[in-house]
Coordinates of all heavy atoms in Angstrom, one line a residue:
E26 N -3.4 52.9 -36.1 CA -2.9 54.2 -35.8 C -3.6 55.3 -36.7 O -3.8 56.4 -36.2 CB -1.4 54.2 -36.1 CG -0.6 53.4 -35.1 CD 0.9 53.2 -35.5 OE1 1.3 53.7 -36.5 OE2 1.6 52.6 -34.7
N27 N -3.8 54.9 -38.0 CA -4.4 55.9 -38.9 C -5.9 56.2 -38.5 O -6.3 57.3 -38.4 CB -4.4 55.4 -40.3 CG -3.0 55.5 -40.9 OD1 -2.2 56.2 -40.5 ND2 -2.8 54.6 -41.9
I28 N -6.7 55.1 -38.1 CA -8.0 55.3 -37.7 C -8.1 56.1 -36.4 O -9.0 56.9 -36.2 CB -8.7 53.9 -37.6 CG1 -8.9 53.3 -39.0 CG2 -10.1 54.1 -36.9 CD1 -9.5 51.9 -38.9
A29 N -7.3 55.8 -35.5 CA -7.2 56.5 -34.2 C -6.9 58.0 -34.4 O -7.6 58.8 -33.9 CB -6.1 55.9 -33.3
K30 N -6.0 58.3 -35.3 CA -5.6 59.7 -35.6 C -6.8 60.5 -36.1 O -7.1 61.6 -35.6 CB -4.5 59.7 -36.5 CG -3.9 61.1 -36.7 CD -2.7 61.1 -37.6 CE -2.1 62.5 -37.8 NZ -0.8 62.5 -38.7
I31 N -7.5 59.9 -37.1 CA -8.6 60.7 -37.8 C -9.8 60.7 -36.9 O -10.7 61.5 -37.1 CB -9.0 60.1 -39.2 CG1 -9.5 58.7 -39.0 CG2 -7.8 60.3 -40.1 CD1 -9.9 58.1 -40.4
S32 N -9.8 59.9 -35.8 CA -10.9 59.9 -34.8 C -10.7 60.7 -33.6 O -11.5 60.8 -32.7 CB -11.2 58.4 -34.4 OG -11.5 57.6 -35.5
G33 N -9.5 61.3 -33.6 CA -9.2 62.2 -32.4 C -8.5 61.4 -31.3 O -8.6 61.9 -30.1
F34 N -7.8 60.3 -31.6 CA -7.1 59.5 -30.6 C -5.7 59.3 -31.0 O -5.4 59.5 -32.2 CB -7.8 58.1 -30.4 CG -9.1 58.2 -29.5 CD1 -10.3 58.5 -30.1 CD2 -9.0 57.9 -28.2 CE1 -11.4 58.5 -29.3 CE2 -10.1 57.9 -27.4 CZ -11.4 58.2 -28.0
E35 N -4.9 58.9 -30.0 CA -3.5 58.4 -30.3 C -3.3 57.1 -29.6 O -3.7 56.9 -28.5 CB -2.6 59.5 -29.7 CG -1.1 59.1 -29.9 CD -0.2 60.0 -29.1 OE1 -0.7 60.8 -28.3 OE2 1.1 59.9 -29.3
V36 N -2.7 56.2 -30.4 CA -2.3 54.9 -29.9 C -1.1 55.1 -29.0 O 0.0 55.4 -29.6 CB -2.1 53.8 -31.0 CG1 -1.6 52.5 -30.3 CG2 -3.3 53.6 -31.8
V37 N -1.2 54.9 -27.7 CA 0.0 55.1 -26.9 C 0.7 53.8 -26.5 O 1.8 53.8 -26.0 CB -0.4 55.9 -25.6 CG1 -0.9 57.3 -25.9 CG2 -1.5 55.1 -24.8
R38 N -0.1 52.7 -26.7 CA 0.6 51.4 -26.4 C -0.2 50.3 -27.1 O -1.4 50.3 -27.2 CB 0.6 51.1 -24.9 CG 1.3 49.8 -24.5 CD 1.4 49.7 -23.0 NE 2.0 48.5 -22.6 CZ 2.1 48.1 -21.3 NH1 1.7 48.9 -20.4 NH2 2.7 47.0 -21.0
S39 N 0.6 49.4 -27.7 CA -0.1 48.2 -28.4 C 0.8 47.0 -28.0 O 1.9 46.9 -28.5 CB -0.1 48.5 -29.9 OG -0.8 47.4 -30.5
R40 N 0.2 46.1 -27.3 CA 1.0 45.0 -26.8 C 0.3 43.7 -27.1 O -0.8 43.4 -26.7 CB 1.2 45.1 -25.3 CG 2.2 44.1 -24.6 CD 2.4 44.6 -23.2 NE 3.2 43.6 -22.5 CZ 4.6 43.7 -22.5 NH1 5.2 44.7 -23.1 NH2 5.3 42.8 -21.7
P41 N 1.0 42.8 -27.9 CA 0.5 41.5 -28.3 C 0.4 40.6 -27.1 O 1.3 40.6 -26.2 CB 1.4 40.9 -29.3 CG 2.2 42.2 -29.8 CD 2.3 43.1 -28.7
V42 N -0.6 39.8 -27.0 CA -0.8 38.9 -25.9 C -1.3 37.6 -26.3 O -2.2 37.5 -27.2 CB -1.9 39.5 -24.8 CG1 -2.2 38.5 -23.7 CG2 -1.3 40.8 -24.3
G43 N -0.9 36.5 -25.8 CA -1.4 35.1 -26.0 C -0.8 34.4 -27.2 O -1.4 34.5 -28.3
Y44 N 0.2 33.6 -26.9 CA 0.8 32.8 -28.0 C 0.5 31.3 -27.8 O 0.4 30.6 -28.8 CB 2.3 33.1 -28.0 CG 2.7 34.5 -28.1 CD1 2.8 35.3 -26.9 CD2 3.0 35.1 -29.3 CE1 3.0 36.7 -27.0 CE2 3.3 36.5 -29.4 CZ 3.3 37.2 -28.2 OH 3.6 38.6 -28.3
F45 N 0.4 31.0 -26.6 CA 0.1 29.5 -26.3 C -1.1 29.5 -25.4 O -1.1 30.1 -24.3 CB 1.3 28.9 -25.5 CG 1.2 27.4 -25.4 CD1 1.5 26.6 -26.5 CD2 0.8 26.8 -24.3 CE1 1.4 25.2 -26.4 CE2 0.7 25.4 -24.1 CZ 1.0 24.6 -25.2
P46 N -2.2 28.8 -25.8 CA -3.5 29.0 -25.2 C -3.8 28.2 -24.0 O -4.9 28.3 -23.4 CB -4.5 28.6 -26.3 CG -3.7 27.6 -27.1 CD -2.3 28.0 -27.1
L47 N -2.8 27.4 -23.5 CA -3.1 26.5 -22.4 C -2.0 26.7 -21.3 O -0.9 27.0 -21.6 CB -3.0 25.0 -22.8 CG -4.1 24.6 -23.8 CD1 -3.8 23.2 -24.3 CD2 -5.5 24.7 -23.3
H48 N -2.4 26.5 -20.1 CA -1.5 26.8 -18.9 C -0.4 25.7 -18.8 O 0.8 25.9 -18.8 CB -2.2 26.9 -17.6 CG -1.4 27.4 -16.5 ND1 -0.7 26.5 -15.7 CD2 -1.2 28.6 -16.0 CE1 0.0 27.2 -14.8 NE2 -0.3 28.4 -14.9
L49 N -0.9 24.5 -18.9 CA 0.0 23.3 -18.8 C 1.0 23.3 -17.7 O 2.2 23.2 -18.0 CB 0.7 23.0 -20.2 CG -0.3 22.5 -21.4 CD1 0.6 22.3 -22.6 CD2 -1.0 21.3 -20.9
F50 N 0.5 23.5 -16.5 CA 1.4 23.5 -15.3 C 2.6 24.5 -15.4 O 3.7 24.2 -15.0 CB 2.0 22.1 -15.1 CG 0.9 21.0 -15.1 CD1 0.7 20.2 -16.2 CD2 0.1 20.9 -14.0 CE1 -0.3 19.3 -16.2 CE2 -0.9 19.9 -14.0 CZ -1.1 19.1 -15.1
G51 N 2.3 25.6 -16.0 CA 3.3 26.7 -16.0 C 4.1 26.8 -17.4 O 4.7 27.8 -17.6
L52 N 4.0 25.7 -18.2 CA 4.7 25.8 -19.5 C 4.1 26.9 -20.4 O 4.9 27.7 -21.0 CB 4.6 24.4 -20.2 CG 5.1 24.4 -21.6 CD1 6.7 24.7 -21.6 CD2 4.9 23.1 -22.3
G53 N 2.8 27.1 -20.4 CA 2.2 28.2 -21.2 C 2.7 29.5 -20.7 O 2.9 30.4 -21.5
T54 N 2.7 29.7 -19.4 CA 3.2 31.0 -18.9 C 4.6 31.3 -19.3 O 4.9 32.5 -19.7 CB 3.1 31.0 -17.3 OG1 1.9 30.7 -16.9 CG2 3.7 32.3 -16.8
F55 N 5.5 30.3 -19.3 CA 6.9 30.5 -19.8 C 6.9 30.8 -21.2 O 7.6 31.8 -21.7 CB 7.7 29.3 -19.5 CG 9.0 29.3 -20.2 CD1 10.1 30.0 -19.7 CD2 9.2 28.5 -21.4 CE1 11.3 30.0 -20.3 CE2 10.4 28.6 -22.0 CZ 11.5 29.3 -21.5
L56 N 6.2 30.1 -22.1 CA 6.2 30.3 -23.5 C 5.6 31.7 -23.9 O 6.1 32.4 -24.8 CB 5.4 29.3 -24.2 CG 6.0 27.9 -24.2 CD1 5.1 26.8 -24.9 CD2 7.3 27.9 -25.1
N57 N 4.5 32.1 -23.2 CA 3.9 33.4 -23.5 C 4.8 34.6 -23.1 O 4.9 35.5 -23.8 CB 2.6 33.5 -22.7 CG 1.5 32.8 -23.4 OD1 1.1 33.0 -24.6 ND2 0.8 31.8 -22.7
R58 N 5.5 34.4 -22.0 CA 6.5 35.5 -21.6 C 7.7 35.5 -22.6 O 8.2 36.6 -23.0 CB 7.0 35.3 -20.2 CG 5.9 35.6 -19.2 CD 6.4 35.3 -17.7 NE 5.4 35.6 -16.8 CZ 5.5 35.3 -15.5 NH1 6.6 34.7 -15.0 NH2 4.5 35.7 -14.6
F59 N 8.1 34.3 -23.0 CA 9.3 34.2 -23.8 C 9.0 34.8 -25.2 O 9.8 35.6 -25.7 CB 9.8 32.8 -23.9 CG 10.9 32.6 -24.9 CD1 12.2 32.9 -24.6 CD2 10.6 32.0 -26.1 CE1 13.2 32.7 -25.5 CE2 11.7 31.8 -27.1 CZ 13.0 32.1 -26.7
L60 N 7.9 34.4 -25.8 CA 7.5 34.8 -27.2 C 7.2 36.3 -27.2 O 7.4 37.0 -28.2 CB 6.4 34.0 -27.7 CG 6.7 32.5 -27.9 CD1 5.5 31.7 -28.3 CD2 7.7 32.4 -29.1
Q61 N 6.6 36.8 -26.1 CA 6.3 38.2 -26.1 C 7.5 39.1 -26.1 O 7.5 40.3 -26.5 CB 5.5 38.6 -24.8 CG 4.8 39.8 -24.8 CD 3.9 40.0 -23.6 OE1 4.3 39.8 -22.5 NE2 2.7 40.4 -23.8
A62 N 8.7 38.6 -25.7 CA 9.9 39.3 -25.7 C 10.7 39.2 -27.0 O 11.7 39.9 -27.2 CB 10.8 38.8 -24.5
M63 N 10.3 38.3 -27.9 CA 11.0 38.1 -29.1 C 10.7 39.2 -30.2 O 9.5 39.4 -30.4 CB 10.7 36.7 -29.7 CG 11.1 35.6 -28.8 SD 12.9 35.5 -28.4 CE 13.5 35.0 -30.1
P64 N 11.7 39.8 -30.8 CA 11.5 40.9 -31.7 C 10.4 40.7 -32.8 O 9.6 41.5 -33.0 CB 12.8 41.2 -32.2 CG 13.8 40.7 -31.2 CD 13.1 39.5 -30.6
L65 N 10.5 39.6 -33.5 CA 9.6 39.4 -34.6 C 8.4 38.5 -34.2 O 7.2 38.8 -34.6 CB 10.3 38.7 -35.8 CG 11.4 39.5 -36.5 CD1 12.1 38.7 -37.5 CD2 10.8 40.8 -37.0
L66 N 8.6 37.5 -33.5 CA 7.6 36.5 -33.1 C 6.5 37.2 -32.2 O 5.4 36.7 -32.1 CB 8.1 35.3 -32.4 CG 9.1 34.4 -33.2 CD1 9.6 33.3 -32.4 CD2 8.3 33.8 -34.4
R67 N 6.9 38.2 -31.5 CA 5.9 38.9 -30.5 C 4.7 39.4 -31.2 O 3.7 39.6 -30.5 CB 6.7 40.0 -29.8 CG 7.0 41.2 -30.7 CD 7.8 42.2 -29.8 NE 7.1 42.7 -28.7 CZ 6.4 43.8 -28.7 NH1 6.2 44.5 -29.8 NH2 5.7 44.2 -27.6
W68 N 4.7 39.6 -32.5 CA 3.6 40.2 -33.2 C 2.5 39.1 -33.6 O 1.6 39.4 -34.3 CB 4.0 41.0 -34.5 CG 4.7 42.2 -34.0 CD1 6.1 42.5 -34.2 CD2 4.2 43.4 -33.4 NE1 6.4 43.7 -33.6 CE2 5.3 44.3 -33.2 CE3 2.9 43.8 -33.0 CZ2 5.1 45.5 -32.5 CZ3 2.7 45.0 -32.4 CH2 3.8 45.9 -32.2
F69 N 2.8 37.8 -33.2 CA 1.9 36.8 -33.6 C 1.1 36.3 -32.4 O 0.6 35.2 -32.4 CB 2.7 35.6 -34.2 CG 3.2 36.0 -35.6 CD1 4.5 36.5 -35.8 CD2 2.5 35.7 -36.7 CE1 5.0 36.8 -37.0 CE2 2.9 36.0 -38.0 CZ 4.1 36.6 -38.1
G70 N 0.9 37.1 -31.4 CA -0.1 36.8 -30.4 C -1.4 36.8 -30.9 O -1.8 37.5 -31.9
F71 N -2.4 36.1 -30.2 CA -3.7 36.0 -30.8 C -4.5 37.3 -30.8 O -5.4 37.5 -31.5 CB -4.5 34.8 -30.1 CG -5.4 35.2 -29.0 CD1 -6.7 35.4 -29.2 CD2 -4.9 35.5 -27.7 CE1 -7.6 35.8 -28.2 CE2 -5.7 35.9 -26.7 CZ -7.1 36.1 -26.9

């Protein structure tokens, strides 16, 4: 946010992505969606 501001930009959205790196027949999709919605754990996407 600070670097963006002094460079003439604004961070309008920052979304963590990727918590479980394998699809595993849909299990990865479920875990990635679930963890992305968790208040604290969501910031630990890769």
Side-chain angles (χ1 to χ4, degrees):
E26 292 172 358
N27 288 337
I28 292 174
K30 185 176 181 180
I31 62 177
S32 304
F34 281 85
E35 177 189 8
V36 175
V37 294
R38 183 176 178 182
S39 184
R40 192 170 173 87
V42 174
Y44 305 86
F45 192 78
L47 300 172
H48 190 273
L49 289 184
F50 307 103
L52 176 61
T54 301
F55 168 77
L56 289 174
N57 281 301
R58 288 177 179 172
F59 175 75
L60 292 171
Q61 194 175 49
M63 299 298 289
L65 294 177
L66 295 177
R67 68 185 300 268
W68 293 108
F69 289 91
F71 96 100

